[in-house]
Amino acid sequence: MTIPAVTPPALSTTDTFGRPLQSLRISVIDRCDLRCAYCMPEEDYAWLPKNDILTFDEILALTDAFIDNGVRRVRLTGGEPLLRAGLADLVAGLATRTSIDDLALTTNGTQLARHAVALHTAGLRRVTVSLDSLKPSRFETLTRRAALKDVLAGIEAAAAVGFEALKINTVVMRDFNDDELVDMLEFGRRVGAEVRFIEYMDVGGATLWNRERVVPRHEIIERLATRYGTITEVGSRNRAPAERFQLPGGERFGVISSTTQPFCSECDRSRLTADGFWYLCLYARDGIDLRARVRQGATRDELSQAIARVWGRRADRGAEERVGIVERGALYQIEELRQDPRREMHTRGG
Ligand code: SAM
Ligand code: SF4
Ligand code: SF4
């Protein structure tokens, strides 16, 4: 049985810095079919127990309680969200929540060609595909799978379906793929997708992270300016993680400078793991167990109030705190990640 949508009261819960709770990223699975060097570079991983993974009804029940607290943007992520069986059914359930005015998916694209039509029909409006290289052998080195063809087919399928917005996320790593900035923009132009360059972040899972590998925002802009000419900033970020820029020809792209110029002061996002733990910050060490409450039969009101209480005490500004660290290295070593897999980016969702 799928939980029907109910109109929520108009309410926006704010944290200790006055930041509203408006955006929820839901990780629907911790498994992934790629092993990106910046996210899953290890040989073995500890996985969440299958019985702990939230059902779609449990996800919808929690989402409703988040909506009561002001959430209006929902992004499905993972692991690789398209490995979760029947994802379009969850999308259809979320699409009935009229308070959600932005329903999006972040995917590595390997399975997207098969699912694009069903997802669009179910009500998904925006898709972001992660793609870090257009060179087949480099893609394979970076992800440990020869799947570039599948990802490109996924992007083409998504473009053909006509989502309202199609984006490409590219994590830029020095001496890995930083020579492909222009190629990525040209590719984005060809397929009608806006490219967003992401600074390599020292999040959980990025055990190979070091400062030298980060290509900072200003360098990304300077390099593109050398090729294209004057680049102008477009509008304000308005709580979105990406700053947007325009090339002289009018094409737009984004830069997400979480590592060198974080935007915690405007952060209205939090994350739900596939097993129902709620994280108030990408860098937070611990989360709040919402699965237990749902499985104990908490009502929508009880869940909403619990969420409001926790968010009201939120003081997280993880990325800003990292900027001040002199000897900055990987956030965790693999042993600490194995102790609690929810510290992993692929479990917490990007
Ligand atoms: N598997 C899906 C994908 O790759 O799109 C969704 C989950 S993935 C964790 C979400 C996003 O996090 C991706 O765009 C990925 O590039 C980004 N990401 C993961 N590790 C990162 C890191 N160390 N620095 C910056 N971005 C990272
Ligand atoms: Fe790569 Fe996404 Fe999988 Fe991480 S979760 S390894 S970013 S595809
Ligand atoms: Fe938000 Fe934490 Fe990221 Fe800062 S580091 S933008 S507070 S999730």
PDB file of all heavy atoms in Angstrom, residues 272-307:
ATOM      1  N   LEU A 272      19.267  11.762   4.058  1.00  0.00           N
ATOM      2  CA  LEU A 272      18.714  10.556   4.676  1.00  0.00           C
ATOM      3  C   LEU A 272      19.387   9.356   4.031  1.00  0.00           C
ATOM      4  O   LEU A 272      19.381   9.224   2.806  1.00  0.00           O
ATOM      5  CB  LEU A 272      17.197  10.521   4.406  1.00  0.00           C
ATOM      6  CG  LEU A 272      16.376   9.468   5.125  1.00  0.00           C
ATOM      7  CD1 LEU A 272      16.384   9.703   6.632  1.00  0.00           C
ATOM      8  CD2 LEU A 272      14.938   9.488   4.596  1.00  0.00           C
ATOM      9  N   THR A 273      19.986   8.482   4.856  1.00  0.00           N
ATOM     10  CA  THR A 273      20.628   7.296   4.281  1.00  0.00           C
ATOM     11  C   THR A 273      19.566   6.248   3.938  1.00  0.00           C
ATOM     12  O   THR A 273      18.429   6.322   4.407  1.00  0.00           O
ATOM     13  CB  THR A 273      21.630   6.675   5.271  1.00  0.00           C
ATOM     14  OG1 THR A 273      20.906   6.277   6.443  1.00  0.00           O
ATOM     15  CG2 THR A 273      22.727   7.646   5.651  1.00  0.00           C
ATOM     16  N   ALA A 274      19.981   5.256   3.167  1.00  0.00           N
ATOM     17  CA  ALA A 274      19.039   4.224   2.741  1.00  0.00           C
ATOM     18  C   ALA A 274      18.476   3.455   3.931  1.00  0.00           C
ATOM     19  O   ALA A 274      17.395   2.875   3.845  1.00  0.00           O
ATOM     20  CB  ALA A 274      19.733   3.274   1.760  1.00  0.00           C
ATOM     21  N   ASP A 275      19.197   3.460   5.061  1.00  0.00           N
ATOM     22  CA  ASP A 275      18.675   2.765   6.246  1.00  0.00           C
ATOM     23  C   ASP A 275      18.073   3.746   7.259  1.00  0.00           C
ATOM     24  O   ASP A 275      17.933   3.422   8.434  1.00  0.00           O
ATOM     25  CB  ASP A 275      19.755   1.892   6.899  1.00  0.00           C
ATOM     26  CG  ASP A 275      20.908   2.711   7.487  1.00  0.00           C
ATOM     27  OD1 ASP A 275      21.072   3.879   7.095  1.00  0.00           O
ATOM     28  OD2 ASP A 275      21.624   2.173   8.348  1.00  0.00           O
ATOM     29  N   GLY A 276      17.743   4.930   6.784  1.00  0.00           N
ATOM     30  CA  GLY A 276      16.935   5.823   7.607  1.00  0.00           C
ATOM     31  C   GLY A 276      17.664   6.612   8.666  1.00  0.00           C
ATOM     32  O   GLY A 276      17.061   7.028   9.652  1.00  0.00           O
ATOM     33  N   PHE A 277      18.958   6.864   8.473  1.00  0.00           N
ATOM     34  CA  PHE A 277      19.678   7.773   9.375  1.00  0.00           C
ATOM     35  C   PHE A 277      19.739   9.149   8.724  1.00  0.00           C
ATOM     36  O   PHE A 277      20.037   9.266   7.532  1.00  0.00           O
ATOM     37  CB  PHE A 277      21.085   7.252   9.674  1.00  0.00           C
ATOM     38  CG  PHE A 277      21.102   6.294  10.840  1.00  0.00           C
ATOM     39  CD1 PHE A 277      20.448   5.076  10.751  1.00  0.00           C
ATOM     40  CD2 PHE A 277      21.738   6.626  12.032  1.00  0.00           C
ATOM     41  CE1 PHE A 277      20.440   4.195  11.834  1.00  0.00           C
ATOM     42  CE2 PHE A 277      21.741   5.756  13.111  1.00  0.00           C
ATOM     43  CZ  PHE A 277      21.086   4.539  13.019  1.00  0.00           C
ATOM     44  N   TRP A 278      19.475  10.143   9.541  1.00  0.00           N
ATOM     45  CA  TRP A 278      19.380  11.526   9.045  1.00  0.00           C
ATOM     46  C   TRP A 278      20.641  12.289   9.437  1.00  0.00           C
ATOM     47  O   TRP A 278      21.007  12.337  10.614  1.00  0.00           O
ATOM     48  CB  TRP A 278      18.139  12.170   9.654  1.00  0.00           C
ATOM     49  CG  TRP A 278      17.884  13.580   9.245  1.00  0.00           C
ATOM     50  CD1 TRP A 278      18.104  14.147   8.035  1.00  0.00           C
ATOM     51  CD2 TRP A 278      17.303  14.597  10.071  1.00  0.00           C
ATOM     52  NE1 TRP A 278      17.707  15.465   8.046  1.00  0.00           N
ATOM     53  CE2 TRP A 278      17.212  15.765   9.287  1.00  0.00           C
ATOM     54  CE3 TRP A 278      16.843  14.639  11.395  1.00  0.00           C
ATOM     55  CZ2 TRP A 278      16.693  16.958   9.778  1.00  0.00           C
ATOM     56  CZ3 TRP A 278      16.326  15.829  11.886  1.00  0.00           C
ATOM     57  CH2 TRP A 278      16.242  16.977  11.086  1.00  0.00           C
ATOM     58  N   TYR A 279      21.301  12.866   8.424  1.00  0.00           N
ATOM     59  CA  TYR A 279      22.533  13.631   8.638  1.00  0.00           C
ATOM     60  C   TYR A 279      22.289  15.103   8.338  1.00  0.00           C
ATOM     61  O   TYR A 279      21.789  15.448   7.271  1.00  0.00           O
ATOM     62  CB  TYR A 279      23.670  13.065   7.771  1.00  0.00           C
ATOM     63  CG  TYR A 279      24.180  11.779   8.351  1.00  0.00           C
ATOM     64  CD1 TYR A 279      23.553  10.572   8.062  1.00  0.00           C
ATOM     65  CD2 TYR A 279      25.237  11.777   9.249  1.00  0.00           C
ATOM     66  CE1 TYR A 279      23.986   9.402   8.654  1.00  0.00           C
ATOM     67  CE2 TYR A 279      25.679  10.602   9.845  1.00  0.00           C
ATOM     68  CZ  TYR A 279      25.047   9.419   9.537  1.00  0.00           C
ATOM     69  OH  TYR A 279      25.455   8.261  10.132  1.00  0.00           O
ATOM     70  N   LEU A 280      22.693  15.942   9.275  1.00  0.00           N
ATOM     71  CA  LEU A 280      22.443  17.376   9.138  1.00  0.00           C
ATOM     72  C   LEU A 280      23.531  18.062   8.341  1.00  0.00           C
ATOM     73  O   LEU A 280      23.428  19.243   8.017  1.00  0.00           O
ATOM     74  CB  LEU A 280      22.343  18.021  10.521  1.00  0.00           C
ATOM     75  CG  LEU A 280      21.365  17.357  11.505  1.00  0.00           C
ATOM     76  CD1 LEU A 280      21.211  18.221  12.740  1.00  0.00           C
ATOM     77  CD2 LEU A 280      20.017  17.122  10.858  1.00  0.00           C
ATOM     78  N   CYS A 281      24.603  17.322   8.036  1.00  0.00           N
ATOM     79  CA  CYS A 281      25.722  17.903   7.303  1.00  0.00           C
ATOM     80  C   CYS A 281      26.476  16.759   6.625  1.00  0.00           C
ATOM     81  O   CYS A 281      26.568  15.660   7.168  1.00  0.00           O
ATOM     82  CB  CYS A 281      26.640  18.641   8.272  1.00  0.00           C
ATOM     83  SG  CYS A 281      28.125  19.330   7.507  1.00  0.00           S
ATOM     84  N   LEU A 282      27.023  17.064   5.456  1.00  0.00           N
ATOM     85  CA  LEU A 282      27.810  16.069   4.727  1.00  0.00           C
ATOM     86  C   LEU A 282      28.988  15.581   5.574  1.00  0.00           C
ATOM     87  O   LEU A 282      29.442  14.451   5.444  1.00  0.00           O
ATOM     88  CB  LEU A 282      28.332  16.739   3.442  1.00  0.00           C
ATOM     89  CG  LEU A 282      28.709  15.880   2.265  1.00  0.00           C
ATOM     90  CD1 LEU A 282      27.690  14.799   1.992  1.00  0.00           C
ATOM     91  CD2 LEU A 282      28.877  16.753   1.039  1.00  0.00           C
ATOM     92  N   TYR A 283      29.481  16.450   6.443  1.00  0.00           N
ATOM     93  CA  TYR A 283      30.653  16.115   7.244  1.00  0.00           C
ATOM     94  C   TYR A 283      30.308  15.612   8.646  1.00  0.00           C
ATOM     95  O   TYR A 283      31.222  15.322   9.418  1.00  0.00           O
ATOM     96  CB  TYR A 283      31.569  17.349   7.376  1.00  0.00           C
ATOM     97  CG  TYR A 283      32.317  17.674   6.107  1.00  0.00           C
ATOM     98  CD1 TYR A 283      31.749  18.454   5.123  1.00  0.00           C
ATOM     99  CD2 TYR A 283      33.606  17.175   5.889  1.00  0.00           C
ATOM    100  CE1 TYR A 283      32.436  18.754   3.949  1.00  0.00           C
ATOM    101  CE2 TYR A 283      34.292  17.473   4.722  1.00  0.00           C
ATOM    102  CZ  TYR A 283      33.691  18.264   3.759  1.00  0.00           C
ATOM    103  OH  TYR A 283      34.374  18.556   2.604  1.00  0.00           O
ATOM    104  N   ALA A 284      29.014  15.553   8.973  1.00  0.00           N
ATOM    105  CA  ALA A 284      28.643  15.162  10.348  1.00  0.00           C
ATOM    106  C   ALA A 284      29.087  13.730  10.635  1.00  0.00           C
ATOM    107  O   ALA A 284      28.933  12.838   9.809  1.00  0.00           O
ATOM    108  CB  ALA A 284      27.141  15.288  10.526  1.00  0.00           C
ATOM    109  N   ARG A 285      29.651  13.532  11.822  1.00  0.00           N
ATOM    110  CA  ARG A 285      30.143  12.207  12.184  1.00  0.00           C
ATOM    111  C   ARG A 285      28.987  11.241  12.464  1.00  0.00           C
ATOM    112  O   ARG A 285      29.046  10.069  12.127  1.00  0.00           O
ATOM    113  CB  ARG A 285      31.014  12.363  13.445  1.00  0.00           C
ATOM    114  CG  ARG A 285      32.084  11.344  13.551  1.00  0.00           C
ATOM    115  CD  ARG A 285      33.020  11.589  14.718  1.00  0.00           C
ATOM    116  NE  ARG A 285      33.787  10.364  14.944  1.00  0.00           N
ATOM    117  CZ  ARG A 285      34.844  10.010  14.252  1.00  0.00           C
ATOM    118  NH1 ARG A 285      35.302  10.791  13.286  1.00  0.00           N
ATOM    119  NH2 ARG A 285      35.466   8.873  14.491  1.00  0.00           N
ATOM    120  N   ASP A 286      27.955  11.754  13.095  1.00  0.00           N
ATOM    121  CA  ASP A 286      26.837  10.899  13.483  1.00  0.00           C
ATOM    122  C   ASP A 286      25.524  11.400  12.905  1.00  0.00           C
ATOM    123  O   ASP A 286      25.369  12.590  12.649  1.00  0.00           O
ATOM    124  CB  ASP A 286      26.727  10.843  15.012  1.00  0.00           C
ATOM    125  CG  ASP A 286      28.012  10.292  15.620  1.00  0.00           C
ATOM    126  OD1 ASP A 286      28.397   9.170  15.231  1.00  0.00           O
ATOM    127  OD2 ASP A 286      28.637  10.999  16.432  1.00  0.00           O
ATOM    128  N   GLY A 287      24.588  10.450  12.796  1.00  0.00           N
ATOM    129  CA  GLY A 287      23.271  10.809  12.293  1.00  0.00           C
ATOM    130  C   GLY A 287      22.194  10.465  13.310  1.00  0.00           C
ATOM    131  O   GLY A 287      22.473   9.925  14.374  1.00  0.00           O
ATOM    132  N   ILE A 288      20.973  10.781  12.941  1.00  0.00           N
ATOM    133  CA  ILE A 288      19.832  10.536  13.839  1.00  0.00           C
ATOM    134  C   ILE A 288      19.035   9.367  13.262  1.00  0.00           C
ATOM    135  O   ILE A 288      18.679   9.375  12.084  1.00  0.00           O
ATOM    136  CB  ILE A 288      18.951  11.802  13.947  1.00  0.00           C
ATOM    137  CG1 ILE A 288      19.746  12.891  14.672  1.00  0.00           C
ATOM    138  CG2 ILE A 288      17.655  11.549  14.684  1.00  0.00           C
ATOM    139  CD1 ILE A 288      20.349  13.900  13.778  1.00  0.00           C
ATOM    140  N   ASP A 289      18.754   8.396  14.106  1.00  0.00           N
ATOM    141  CA  ASP A 289      18.072   7.190  13.650  1.00  0.00           C
ATOM    142  C   ASP A 289      16.569   7.443  13.511  1.00  0.00           C
ATOM    143  O   ASP A 289      15.832   7.401  14.500  1.00  0.00           O
ATOM    144  CB  ASP A 289      18.334   6.061  14.663  1.00  0.00           C
ATOM    145  CG  ASP A 289      17.705   4.750  14.224  1.00  0.00           C
ATOM    146  OD1 ASP A 289      17.099   4.711  13.127  1.00  0.00           O
ATOM    147  OD2 ASP A 289      17.832   3.763  14.979  1.00  0.00           O
ATOM    148  N   LEU A 290      16.131   7.709  12.293  1.00  0.00           N
ATOM    149  CA  LEU A 290      14.694   7.906  12.071  1.00  0.00           C
ATOM    150  C   LEU A 290      14.004   6.583  11.734  1.00  0.00           C
ATOM    151  O   LEU A 290      12.799   6.458  11.887  1.00  0.00           O
ATOM    152  CB  LEU A 290      14.461   8.930  10.949  1.00  0.00           C
ATOM    153  CG  LEU A 290      14.913  10.369  11.253  1.00  0.00           C
ATOM    154  CD1 LEU A 290      14.631  11.292  10.069  1.00  0.00           C
ATOM    155  CD2 LEU A 290      14.217  10.916  12.503  1.00  0.00           C
ATOM    156  N   ARG A 291      14.795   5.598  11.277  1.00  0.00           N
ATOM    157  CA  ARG A 291      14.186   4.300  10.953  1.00  0.00           C
ATOM    158  C   ARG A 291      13.516   3.703  12.187  1.00  0.00           C
ATOM    159  O   ARG A 291      12.399   3.197  12.123  1.00  0.00           O
ATOM    160  CB  ARG A 291      15.245   3.333  10.413  1.00  0.00           C
ATOM    161  CG  ARG A 291      14.651   1.980  10.019  1.00  0.00           C
ATOM    162  CD  ARG A 291      15.702   0.945   9.659  1.00  0.00           C
ATOM    163  NE  ARG A 291      16.483   0.502  10.793  1.00  0.00           N
ATOM    164  CZ  ARG A 291      17.791   0.634  10.909  1.00  0.00           C
ATOM    165  NH1 ARG A 291      18.478   1.192   9.946  1.00  0.00           N
ATOM    166  NH2 ARG A 291      18.418   0.199  11.990  1.00  0.00           N
ATOM    167  N   ALA A 292      14.211   3.762  13.311  1.00  0.00           N
ATOM    168  CA  ALA A 292      13.660   3.169  14.533  1.00  0.00           C
ATOM    169  C   ALA A 292      12.305   3.801  14.846  1.00  0.00           C
ATOM    170  O   ALA A 292      11.338   3.104  15.166  1.00  0.00           O
ATOM    171  CB  ALA A 292      14.632   3.375  15.690  1.00  0.00           C
ATOM    172  N   ARG A 293      12.223   5.120  14.701  1.00  0.00           N
ATOM    173  CA  ARG A 293      10.948   5.792  15.027  1.00  0.00           C
ATOM    174  C   ARG A 293       9.835   5.359  14.086  1.00  0.00           C
ATOM    175  O   ARG A 293       8.720   5.105  14.514  1.00  0.00           O
ATOM    176  CB  ARG A 293      11.111   7.313  14.941  1.00  0.00           C
ATOM    177  CG  ARG A 293      11.987   7.880  16.046  1.00  0.00           C
ATOM    178  CD  ARG A 293      12.238   9.352  15.786  1.00  0.00           C
ATOM    179  NE  ARG A 293      13.359   9.827  16.554  1.00  0.00           N
ATOM    180  CZ  ARG A 293      13.264  10.564  17.658  1.00  0.00           C
ATOM    181  NH1 ARG A 293      12.091  10.900  18.114  1.00  0.00           N
ATOM    182  NH2 ARG A 293      14.338  10.960  18.291  1.00  0.00           N
ATOM    183  N   VAL A 294      10.172   5.289  12.795  1.00  0.00           N
ATOM    184  CA  VAL A 294       9.145   4.878  11.828  1.00  0.00           C
ATOM    185  C   VAL A 294       8.698   3.453  12.132  1.00  0.00           C
ATOM    186  O   VAL A 294       7.500   3.153  12.148  1.00  0.00           O
ATOM    187  CB  VAL A 294       9.695   4.928  10.388  1.00  0.00           C
ATOM    188  CG1 VAL A 294       8.674   4.409   9.384  1.00  0.00           C
ATOM    189  CG2 VAL A 294      10.079   6.333  10.023  1.00  0.00           C
ATOM    190  N   ARG A 295       9.658   2.580  12.398  1.00  0.00           N
ATOM    191  CA  ARG A 295       9.308   1.172  12.600  1.00  0.00           C
ATOM    192  C   ARG A 295       8.625   0.931  13.941  1.00  0.00           C
ATOM    193  O   ARG A 295       7.956  -0.082  14.121  1.00  0.00           O
ATOM    194  CB  ARG A 295      10.547   0.280  12.413  1.00  0.00           C
ATOM    195  CG  ARG A 295      10.991   0.318  10.951  1.00  0.00           C
ATOM    196  CD  ARG A 295      11.916  -0.782  10.523  1.00  0.00           C
ATOM    197  NE  ARG A 295      12.140  -0.661   9.073  1.00  0.00           N
ATOM    198  CZ  ARG A 295      13.059  -1.299   8.392  1.00  0.00           C
ATOM    199  NH1 ARG A 295      13.889  -2.141   9.013  1.00  0.00           N
ATOM    200  NH2 ARG A 295      13.166  -1.132   7.090  1.00  0.00           N
ATOM    201  N   GLN A 296       8.788   1.885  14.865  1.00  0.00           N
ATOM    202  CA  GLN A 296       8.039   1.778  16.130  1.00  0.00           C
ATOM    203  C   GLN A 296       6.628   2.349  15.986  1.00  0.00           C
ATOM    204  O   GLN A 296       5.867   2.395  16.952  1.00  0.00           O
ATOM    205  CB  GLN A 296       8.774   2.537  17.248  1.00  0.00           C
ATOM    206  CG  GLN A 296       9.986   1.786  17.794  1.00  0.00           C
ATOM    207  CD  GLN A 296      11.018   2.727  18.413  1.00  0.00           C
ATOM    208  OE1 GLN A 296      10.752   3.919  18.598  1.00  0.00           O
ATOM    209  NE2 GLN A 296      12.191   2.202  18.704  1.00  0.00           N
ATOM    210  N   GLY A 297       6.311   2.831  14.787  1.00  0.00           N
ATOM    211  CA  GLY A 297       4.943   3.296  14.528  1.00  0.00           C
ATOM    212  C   GLY A 297       4.697   4.756  14.858  1.00  0.00           C
ATOM    213  O   GLY A 297       3.547   5.151  15.094  1.00  0.00           O
ATOM    214  N   ALA A 298       5.739   5.583  14.878  1.00  0.00           N
ATOM    215  CA  ALA A 298       5.536   7.013  15.149  1.00  0.00           C
ATOM    216  C   ALA A 298       4.574   7.611  14.122  1.00  0.00           C
ATOM    217  O   ALA A 298       4.601   7.252  12.942  1.00  0.00           O
ATOM    218  CB  ALA A 298       6.876   7.745  15.090  1.00  0.00           C
ATOM    219  N   THR A 299       3.720   8.507  14.579  1.00  0.00           N
ATOM    220  CA  THR A 299       2.773   9.152  13.670  1.00  0.00           C
ATOM    221  C   THR A 299       3.499  10.245  12.880  1.00  0.00           C
ATOM    222  O   THR A 299       4.618  10.639  13.228  1.00  0.00           O
ATOM    223  CB  THR A 299       1.630   9.843  14.453  1.00  0.00           C
ATOM    224  OG1 THR A 299       2.219  10.882  15.252  1.00  0.00           O
ATOM    225  CG2 THR A 299       0.887   8.843  15.322  1.00  0.00           C
ATOM    226  N   ARG A 300       2.833  10.755  11.870  1.00  0.00           N
ATOM    227  CA  ARG A 300       3.418  11.850  11.066  1.00  0.00           C
ATOM    228  C   ARG A 300       3.743  13.053  11.954  1.00  0.00           C
ATOM    229  O   ARG A 300       4.815  13.637  11.844  1.00  0.00           O
ATOM    230  CB  ARG A 300       2.419  12.233   9.961  1.00  0.00           C
ATOM    231  CG  ARG A 300       2.878  13.418   9.134  1.00  0.00           C
ATOM    232  CD  ARG A 300       2.004  13.594   7.920  1.00  0.00           C
ATOM    233  NE  ARG A 300       2.394  14.800   7.186  1.00  0.00           N
ATOM    234  CZ  ARG A 300       2.023  15.048   5.948  1.00  0.00           C
ATOM    235  NH1 ARG A 300       1.269  14.207   5.299  1.00  0.00           N
ATOM    236  NH2 ARG A 300       2.404  16.155   5.338  1.00  0.00           N
ATOM    237  N   ASP A 301       2.828  13.367  12.861  1.00  0.00           N
ATOM    238  CA  ASP A 301       3.072  14.506  13.761  1.00  0.00           C
ATOM    239  C   ASP A 301       4.280  14.266  14.647  1.00  0.00           C
ATOM    240  O   ASP A 301       5.102  15.170  14.858  1.00  0.00           O
ATOM    241  CB  ASP A 301       1.854  14.736  14.666  1.00  0.00           C
ATOM    242  CG  ASP A 301       0.907  15.722  14.035  1.00  0.00           C
ATOM    243  OD1 ASP A 301       1.245  16.245  12.959  1.00  0.00           O
ATOM    244  OD2 ASP A 301      -0.164  15.954  14.627  1.00  0.00           O
ATOM    245  N   GLU A 302       4.373  13.054  15.163  1.00  0.00           N
ATOM    246  CA  GLU A 302       5.511  12.738  16.048  1.00  0.00           C
ATOM    247  C   GLU A 302       6.831  12.837  15.282  1.00  0.00           C
ATOM    248  O   GLU A 302       7.821  13.373  15.776  1.00  0.00           O
ATOM    249  CB  GLU A 302       5.342  11.346  16.660  1.00  0.00           C
ATOM    250  CG  GLU A 302       4.265  11.312  17.743  1.00  0.00           C
ATOM    251  CD  GLU A 302       3.828   9.896  18.120  1.00  0.00           C
ATOM    252  OE1 GLU A 302       4.157   8.927  17.388  1.00  0.00           O
ATOM    253  OE2 GLU A 302       3.149   9.757  19.145  1.00  0.00           O
ATOM    254  N   LEU A 303       6.815  12.331  14.052  1.00  0.00           N
ATOM    255  CA  LEU A 303       8.032  12.415  13.238  1.00  0.00           C
ATOM    256  C   LEU A 303       8.370  13.868  12.932  1.00  0.00           C
ATOM    257  O   LEU A 303       9.528  14.298  13.050  1.00  0.00           O
ATOM    258  CB  LEU A 303       7.855  11.640  11.927  1.00  0.00           C
ATOM    259  CG  LEU A 303       7.787  10.111  12.036  1.00  0.00           C
ATOM    260  CD1 LEU A 303       7.401   9.482  10.698  1.00  0.00           C
ATOM    261  CD2 LEU A 303       9.126   9.538  12.515  1.00  0.00           C
ATOM    262  N   SER A 304       7.351  14.637  12.559  1.00  0.00           N
ATOM    263  CA  SER A 304       7.581  16.061  12.227  1.00  0.00           C
ATOM    264  C   SER A 304       8.167  16.796  13.418  1.00  0.00           C
ATOM    265  O   SER A 304       9.098  17.599  13.276  1.00  0.00           O
ATOM    266  CB  SER A 304       6.279  16.775  11.867  1.00  0.00           C
ATOM    267  OG  SER A 304       5.663  16.131  10.834  1.00  0.00           O
ATOM    268  N   GLN A 305       7.597  16.531  14.582  1.00  0.00           N
ATOM    269  CA  GLN A 305       8.079  17.250  15.774  1.00  0.00           C
ATOM    270  C   GLN A 305       9.510  16.848  16.123  1.00  0.00           C
ATOM    271  O   GLN A 305      10.326  17.683  16.523  1.00  0.00           O
ATOM    272  CB  GLN A 305       7.133  16.990  16.954  1.00  0.00           C
ATOM    273  CG  GLN A 305       5.845  17.784  16.819  1.00  0.00           C
ATOM    274  CD  GLN A 305       4.739  17.273  17.722  1.00  0.00           C
ATOM    275  OE1 GLN A 305       5.006  16.582  18.700  1.00  0.00           O
ATOM    276  NE2 GLN A 305       3.502  17.583  17.372  1.00  0.00           N
ATOM    277  N   ALA A 306       9.812  15.565  15.945  1.00  0.00           N
ATOM    278  CA  ALA A 306      11.185  15.102  16.231  1.00  0.00           C
ATOM    279  C   ALA A 306      12.170  15.800  15.282  1.00  0.00           C
ATOM    280  O   ALA A 306      13.235  16.273  15.690  1.00  0.00           O
ATOM    281  CB  ALA A 306      11.263  13.590  16.063  1.00  0.00           C
ATOM    282  N   ILE A 307      11.791  15.892  14.013  1.00  0.00           N
ATOM    283  CA  ILE A 307      12.654  16.544  13.021  1.00  0.00           C
ATOM    284  C   ILE A 307      12.829  18.026  13.373  1.00  0.00           C
ATOM    285  O   ILE A 307      13.940  18.566  13.339  1.00  0.00           O
ATOM    286  CB  ILE A 307      12.064  16.354  11.597  1.00  0.00           C
ATOM    287  CG1 ILE A 307      12.212  14.880  11.178  1.00  0.00           C
ATOM    288  CG2 ILE A 307      12.719  17.284  10.585  1.00  0.00           C
ATOM    289  CD1 ILE A 307      11.418  14.489   9.954  1.00  0.00           C
TER     290      ILE A 307
END
